[in-house]
Amino acid sequence: MMTAFTKNKKAKTLTLDYGTKMKVVVSKSDVKDAAKADLDFSVTGKNFISSKSINKNKTLSKAEKVVQMKFVNDGKIKGIEKVTINRRVGKSYAGQKAVVYEYTDGKLVKIATVKVNKNGYVSFKTDHLGKFVIAVY
């Protein structure tokens, strides 16, 4: 599939649609090796930070909404330099500030601050997969 995508002169992006919750967008310019590209962007449905821990955390406890994403595959994305992850947090949060964190070694590392778009999605780019937390303020 990636080879066909990269050879299609009209195609600029490939979108993997996860229904209403999430989309992963791959730009043709970010595909470095179509033969080795891994398109498994599966996420688990399980939270990795408990509600109790969120309430105790100085940063997350102030958020109006916290969304957790744990990708099944962890680490560098094979054959692709980076992807854009679009995660729905809800239209009611449109225009609000969202902070994207990576959860590594039990700590939150801030990777982006963005606005929730009019459709209720938070978008951020990453060159690897793992555990991500979106906090909407």
Side-chain angles (χ1 to χ4, degrees), residues 105-121:
D105 298 325
K107 295 179 182 157
L108 293 171
V109 178
K110 183 177 172 181
I111 59 170
T113 300
V114 297
K115 270 191 174 181
V116 178
N117 75 16
K118 67 180 180 178
N119 295 317
Y121 282 87

Side-chain angles (χ1 to χ4, degrees), residues 41-110:
F41 296 102
S42 302
V43 290
T44 68
K46 298 179 181 176
N47 289 333
F48 44 89
I49 304 174
S50 70
S51 297
K52 187 177 183 180
S53 294
I54 288 172
N55 291 334
K56 287 183 178 181
N57 182 288
K58 289 179 186 177
T59 303
L60 296 181
S61 64
K62 296 174 186 170
E64 288 184 42
K65 181 164 187 160
V66 175
V67 174
Q68 302 178 52
M69 294 181 295
K70 180 180 177 186
F71 287 88
V72 173
N73 288 332
D74 195 335
K76 276 289 209 193
I77 305 166
K78 294 176 186 167
I80 302 171
E81 190 173 307
K82 64 184 175 230
V83 297
T84 301
I85 296 175
N86 298 301
R87 179 61 166 88
R88 185 174 170 87
V89 295
K91 279 187 175 183
S92 62
Y93 299 104
Q96 288 185 238
K97 179 177 92 168
V99 180
V100 181
Y101 300 95
E102 183 170 5
Y103 190 72
T104 308
D105 298 325
K107 295 179 182 157
L108 293 171
V109 178
K110 183 177 172 181

